[in-house]
Amino acid sequence: MAELHTGPVEMGAPMDYAEHEKTYVFFLNAAKYVTMFCVTLMIAMAAAFFTSAGFFSGLVLLIVLNVLGFIALR
């Protein structure tokens, strides 16, 4: 049925914890900025389609909100 295994659990190469940490920080930053972009896109689309602001005003709003968001999240 089951075999008796003795010895260390980790049998492969040693873990590269610095690389794991870099990947984790990259993932968190990417998720943060993608979420910020999606929120600003929804706000700009709402302004462009549901008000009398128009497409170009919504585009300007998208650019301004993204710049402010990138500055705020740095």
Side-chain angles (χ1 to χ4, degrees):
M1 288 212 182
E3 298 176 14
L4 179 61
H5 294 285
T6 59
V9 175
E10 185 180 275
M11 297 297 290
M15 299 295 285
D16 189 2
Y17 291 109
E19 191 65 31
H20 285 277
E21 185 70 24
K22 282 177 31 182
T23 303
Y24 181 67
V25 168
F26 173 77
F27 173 77
L28 287 181
N29 285 330
K32 179 173 58 172
Y33 287 115
V34 167
T35 303
M36 186 264 315
F37 178 76
C38 288
V39 168
T40 58
L41 179 64
M42 293 297 152
I43 292 170
M45 287 174 64
F49 297 138
F50 299 119
T51 66
S52 62
F55 175 75
F56 290 110
S57 297
L59 184 63
V60 170
L61 181 63
L62 175 69
I63 293 169
V64 168
L65 287 176
N66 275 318
V67 168
L68 292 175
F70 280 114
I71 291 170
L73 291 179
R74 264 198 297 168

